[in-house]
Amino acid sequence: MTTTSEFQHTSWRPEEPALSVRQVLTLERVQAGEPEVVAGADGLDRAVRWVHVAEAADVGVMLTGGEMVLTTGVLLAGDEAKQAACIQSLHRAEAAAVVLGLGRAFPTPPEVMRRAAERCGLPLVVLHRPFPFAELTEEVQSRLVRAKFAAVSLSESVRTSLTALITSGAPLQRLLDEVAQHSGCPVVLTNLAHRVLATAGERPAVDDVLRDWERIARQAGGNEGDGWVRAELGGRGERWGRLLLCGYRGDSATGRLLADRAAEALVLHRLLGAASGRTWEEQSAHGLLTDLASGTVPARHLLPRARAAGLPVNRRTFVPLVVPGAEPERLDRVLRTLGLTGLVAELADGATAVLLSLARDQDAEALTGRLAARLRTPELPDAVVAAADPRTCWDDVPAGLREARHVADAVAGAALDRPAVVRLRDVHLRGLIRLLRDDPQVQSFAERELDGLLCGGEGELLDVLRTYLATGRNKSRTAQLHHVSRPALYRRLEAIQARLGIDLDDFEQAASVHIALLAHDAQQG
């Protein structure tokens, strides 16, 4: 992903908080007037932005849209043309509804107005009992003002909390958790390809969203509705992401305001982290691979998340890999060059994990070898890929990642001339020692066997011993690697034997020291 030095947020302008026509009609004061919807019933969910009392026939010219107009129709009585024109004027002005008080001008609902309202879909409501319009105006206006105040208060609360998190260096996930807490619904962050980068919210609800993500992603670019609120993220006129509130239960204006504030914070977070932090795609892959390898979350629960992240999971072969010292960006480029699909993430110790997803008819071993060959360059001639055996079942992937991590750990500091791809069968004794390195008895054994060299600070002799044992006690090769003559090497080997009190020509004693040295190196590494 290309980062820029300047970002801006592009989304909808939040609407004023509103009540629907249906909600207004359920108010206790309105019910006292015995309201009846005589036309435009399909428009009862229109938003009422304000209430306006008017008797003029051309009241539409004074409206800006979203008003509920209250009238007695006294200036319309006896003139059917004016009645029809009034409805047309209100329709063109995008009024939310018309409430007509019966009695003074119209004892019954006027048929001309009813037909005109039905044709244009404008809700026409009549009140059968006399009703002080001032009471309705006061009730609705006070509710709208309270809603607006609550929305502004929520907006500032969200802005303050998210800004505090950003300035404290909180990760992306912490920001999304805060947004989910305020919205009370699942929150999903995606790139423009609809791949899920991060989620937040109650885990069962999030899993339900991800399980149906393919359908949701197709609708994500369309109109909002049913509590689905989105905000676009971008900079310098270019969009690069999207935030979704999935199933928000509050009113749409508040939901949009909340999404707007969250999007502003996410853009700022990306801007501040662009220089040194991981990209959101890298954070997404890192979180998924870490959760898989740790085993804290069952693999089957992570399957919807992997699918939503764009990883093919149906009828696939999964190849877990760990590449010590490789940069994720470089591995990404190699995967694209080879036409391979997978997740890439940097681990805590500088190694990079890769989870390849291959078609069942692809040769996993050959492709792993090609990947390793591409990584070996004149600058990195000893690059190695630690590979686990391929898995065809998603539930086996966590064990595969742990296996690859163990292999990578075992080859750390190993002898030169390692193969480009190393598997569990290749690490032998070194792998076992790495597994047991934290055992107190193993630590005590290593210190006891190597005491003569460790206490004397004989680092050079320890290096010679390490090379001598790693080369299978090959004196010529050891002398060559240390750039010394054979007589000089013999003197060093004699000094090692004297300090340790052993005979390196004795296989058992040499093996014991070799195991102790492997344990020592594993503990130090």
Side-chain angles (χ1 to χ4, degrees):
M1 177 180 293
T2 301
T3 57
T4 61
S5 59
E6 179 180 349
F7 292 91
Q8 65 183 24
H9 170 228
T10 55
S11 69
W12 300 274
R13 181 182 177 183
E15 298 176 350
E16 294 291 332
L19 297 171
S20 68
V21 176
R22 191 187 308 275
Q23 289 173 317
V24 172
L25 297 182
T26 60
L27 297 177
E28 184 176 354
R29 291 187 180 183
V30 180
Q31 286 293 309
E34 297 182 6
E36 178 188 2
V37 180
V38 298
D42 291 341
L44 293 181
D45 290 320
R46 289 182 175 184
V48 177
R49 189 181 57 82
W50 207 242
V51 178
H52 190 76
V53 180
E55 297 295 349
D58 58 349
V59 63
V61 300
M62 296 182 286
L63 306 181
T64 58
E67 294 90 350
M68 173 178 278
V69 177
L70 311 180
T71 182
T72 62
V74 67
L75 299 182
L76 302 176
D79 191 333
E80 293 185 348
K82 280 188 177 181
Q83 295 171 23
C86 177
I87 295 296
Q88 289 296 327
S89 174
L90 294 173
H91 170 61
R92 287 192 297 270
E94 298 183 349
V98 183
V99 178
L100 176 65
L102 300 181
R104 185 176 178 186
F106 297 101
T108 60
E111 186 62 21
V112 172
M113 294 181 69
R114 190 196 67 78
R115 288 198 305 268
E118 192 65 45
R119 281 195 299 270
C120 63
L122 178 67
L124 175 61
V125 182
V126 297
L127 299 174
H128 289 280
R129 294 174 61 90
F131 183 86
F133 284 167
E135 291 187 11
L136 175 56
T137 302
E138 179 185 6
E139 176 76 12
V140 175
Q141 313 298 48
S142 64
R143 286 176 178 263
L144 291 176
V145 169
R146 288 198 300 270
K148 182 176 182 179
F149 177 79
V152 171
S153 177
L154 173 64
S155 172
E156 289 307 307
S157 174
V158 172
R159 187 200 300 272
T160 300
S161 61
L162 294 180
T163 301
L165 288 173
I166 292 172
T167 54
S168 67
L172 171 65
Q173 187 61 53
R174 183 66 187 87
L175 266 67
L176 293 180
D177 289 341
E178 187 74 12
V179 176
Q181 182 176 351
H182 283 286
S183 66
C185 68
V187 176
V188 178
L189 179 67
T190 76
N191 62 14
L192 293 183
H194 305 303
R195 291 189 176 182
V196 174
L197 304 179
T199 62
E202 294 293 333
R203 181 50 51 188
V206 172
D207 288 344
D208 286 343
V209 170
L210 296 183
R211 203 170 289 117
D212 199 24
W213 183 249
E214 185 176 347
R215 178 186 63 82
I216 293 172
R218 287 198 302 269
Q219 297 177 351
N223 296 327
E224 295 177 316
D226 297 327
W228 297 88
V229 186
R230 76 180 187 273
E232 305 293 337
L233 309 175
R236 291 185 174 179
E238 180 183 9
R239 291 186 299 122
W240 39 256
R242 178 177 291 118
L243 178 74
L244 283 172
L245 305 184
C246 306
Y248 180 71
R249 296 306 177 193
D251 67 85
S252 61
T254 303
R256 289 184 180 182
L257 188 62
L258 178 58
D260 183 69
R261 291 293 174 263
E264 290 174 358
L266 292 175
V267 171
L268 179 59
H269 182 273
R270 177 185 163 103
L271 172 64
L272 295 177
S276 59
R278 297 189 184 106
T279 66
W280 286 351
E281 286 82 359
E282 289 170 349
Q283 291 182 52
S284 173
H286 178 269
L288 180 56
L289 290 180
T290 300
D291 287 346
L292 278 169
S294 68
T296 55
V297 181
R300 63 181 180 278
H301 293 170
L302 297 171
L303 186 59
R305 187 169 148 197
R307 184 183 291 112
L311 185 72
V313 295
N314 295 330
R315 296 187 58 77
R316 306 290 288 187
T317 297
F318 304 101
V319 185
L321 309 172
V322 172
V323 187
E327 296 179 351
E329 296 80 3
R330 184 171 178 229
L331 274 165
D332 267 328
R333 289 195 299 270
V334 172
L335 291 186
R336 289 195 296 270
T337 301
L338 297 175
L340 299 177
T341 301
L343 297 176
V344 179
E346 185 176 7
L347 304 176
D349 58 0
T352 299
V354 181
L355 179 60
L356 296 179
S357 175
L358 308 177
R360 291 287 174 86
D361 58 353
Q362 290 182 286
D363 189 331
E365 187 167 343
L367 289 173
T368 303
R370 289 178 61 192
L371 171 63
R374 286 294 184 109
L375 291 175
R376 285 199 164 180
T377 63
E379 295 78 19
L380 293 172
D382 299 317
V384 63
V385 173
D389 291 333
R391 264 66 175 174
T392 57
C393 177
W394 176 258
D395 286 344
D396 295 334
V397 169
L401 285 168
R402 291 192 292 271
E403 178 183 314
R405 186 70 180 271
H406 166 61
V407 173
D409 193 29
V411 300
L416 301 178
D417 302 324
R418 295 171 299 186
V421 180
V422 182
R423 294 182 168 81
L424 188 61
R425 60 178 177 268
D426 301 318
V427 298
H428 306 298
L429 179 61
R430 184 181 295 273
L432 176 62
I433 295 301
R434 287 276 170 167
L435 287 176
L436 301 176
R437 63 184 171 186
D438 294 326
D439 187 295
Q441 294 186 20
V442 173
Q443 295 173 0
S444 177
F445 167 77
E447 292 177 4
R448 183 172 63 251
E449 290 289 301
L450 301 174
D451 182 64
L453 295 178
L454 296 178
C455 291
E458 299 291 349
E460 181 183 359
L461 293 181
L462 201 63
D463 287 340
V464 170
L465 176 62
R466 184 180 294 108
T467 304
Y468 179 64
L469 295 173
T471 58
R473 295 185 292 176
N474 186 320
K475 294 183 176 67
S476 297
R477 179 62 173 155
T478 301
Q480 180 184 10
L481 291 174
H482 283 271
H483 307 289
V484 298
S485 65
R486 286 178 66 99
L489 175 65
Y490 293 157
R491 288 193 295 272
R492 286 172 172 77
L493 292 178
E494 289 172 359
I496 290 171
Q497 292 179 107
R499 289 180 181 279
L500 297 182
I502 62 169
D503 180 5
L504 288 175
D505 290 330
D506 181 276
F507 175 79
E508 184 175 341
Q509 293 183 54
S512 180
V513 172
H514 194 185
I515 292 172
L517 187 57
L518 290 175
H520 169 75
D521 289 345
Q523 292 157 15
Q524 297 302 310

